[in-house]
Amino acid sequence: MRNSIRLGLTAFLISFCFETVFYIFDLASNSTIGFISFAFHSLNLITVVLYSIVNWKKNGSNNKGTIDKLKSGFTISFIFSLLISIYFFSYHKWINPEYLNTKKTQLIELTLRKSVLEDAQERIKQDPNYYDGKSAEDLVEMQQDNIKEVLMPSKILPISIFTFLFIGMFFTILIALMSKFLDSKFNK
């Protein structure tokens, strides 16, 4: 269990260094970079979970069961998710509070495009019962309200915890089951 905690902290420190570089070079303002950042953190978590589950043979403990592998991956996922989410909350609340305001403004400006209104009108035409009593302008306004509501530090915290926890748990289960299958296949 100690090794899992250590690996969870290591995964967080790797992601923290990545975020620090982004902050120092002011790369966070680009929306494409936000996706790259999320992809990096997800890949970092998956890689550390994979290392934890597959590395058991190197430690000489060939009797590590699937439950132990799941516990290890879940522990790593929990620690990483909690720490990176606290970092994101701190970043958006105190370190760079203007980031979310800028992102809100950019996204709201995107909703003001004519194509968005046309898309809303098309959706209403395709499913008039679902959008009964709503106009295309109402849909755009609802989208803008959702943008304002979600892009707040207090909302980012649970969203990032849930997202990274889900990713970590999903890949822990997948890797543990694949490891069990491969062990049974090659250790007959």
Side-chain angles (χ1 to χ4, degrees):
M1 190 61 81
R2 274 196 173 118
N3 193 34
S4 300
I5 293 171
R6 197 173 310 123
L7 287 171
L9 291 172
T10 302
F12 167 70
L13 288 174
I14 291 167
S15 287
F16 180 75
C17 290
F18 181 83
E19 286 292 326
T20 302
V21 168
F22 267 40
Y23 181 71
I24 290 171
F25 292 107
D26 195 30
L27 299 173
S29 59
N30 187 337
S31 61
T32 306
I33 298 293
F35 175 75
I36 292 170
S37 176
F38 173 75
F40 175 83
H41 298 314
S42 299
L43 187 60
N44 177 28
L45 175 60
I46 293 166
T47 303
V48 172
V49 167
L50 177 66
Y51 173 79
S52 169
I53 291 174
V54 173
N55 192 41
W56 63 274
K57 285 186 179 181
K58 287 184 181 179
N59 294 333
S61 57
N62 288 336
N63 60 357
K64 187 173 183 181
T66 304
I67 298 297
D68 292 329
K69 293 175 186 178
L70 290 172
K71 284 181 186 177
S72 176
F74 290 166
T75 302
I76 292 167
S77 299
F78 177 75
I79 290 170
F80 176 82
S81 300
L82 184 64
L83 292 176
I84 199 71
S85 298
I86 290 170
Y87 167 76
F88 287 149
F89 175 80
S90 301
Y91 178 80
H92 296 305
K93 182 80 173 174
W94 299 296
I95 298 170
N96 190 2
E98 286 303 310
Y99 175 78
L100 287 180
N101 291 332
T102 304
K103 184 63 81 181
K104 282 181 202 177
T105 304
Q106 290 172 348
L107 290 174
I108 288 173
E109 285 175 3
L110 286 175
T111 64
L112 298 175
R113 292 182 177 175
K114 186 178 179 181
S115 62
V116 173
L117 192 59
E118 291 170 355
D119 183 44
Q121 290 169 341
E122 186 63 33
R123 285 185 184 180
I124 291 171
K125 285 179 187 175
Q126 289 177 354
D127 195 1
N129 293 334
Y130 183 75
Y131 297 107
D132 188 36
K134 301 256 192 270
S135 67
E137 291 81 11
D138 291 339
L139 295 180
V140 171
E141 186 178 330
M142 287 171 42
Q143 189 175 21
Q144 291 172 349
D145 290 342
N146 288 339
I147 290 168
K148 291 174 187 174
E149 181 68 26
V150 170
L151 289 180
M152 296 174 18
S154 61
K155 301 287 183 175
I156 298 291
L157 180 70
I159 290 170
S160 62
I161 286 175
F162 175 76
T163 303
F164 287 116
L165 208 61
F166 177 78
I167 290 169
M169 293 173 90
F170 176 78
F171 279 96
T172 295
I173 293 168
L174 184 68
I175 294 166
L177 291 176
M178 286 176 48
S179 174
K180 182 178 180 175
F181 173 75
L182 293 174
D183 286 345
S184 68
K185 199 80 160 157
F186 294 112
N187 291 331
K188 286 186 176 180

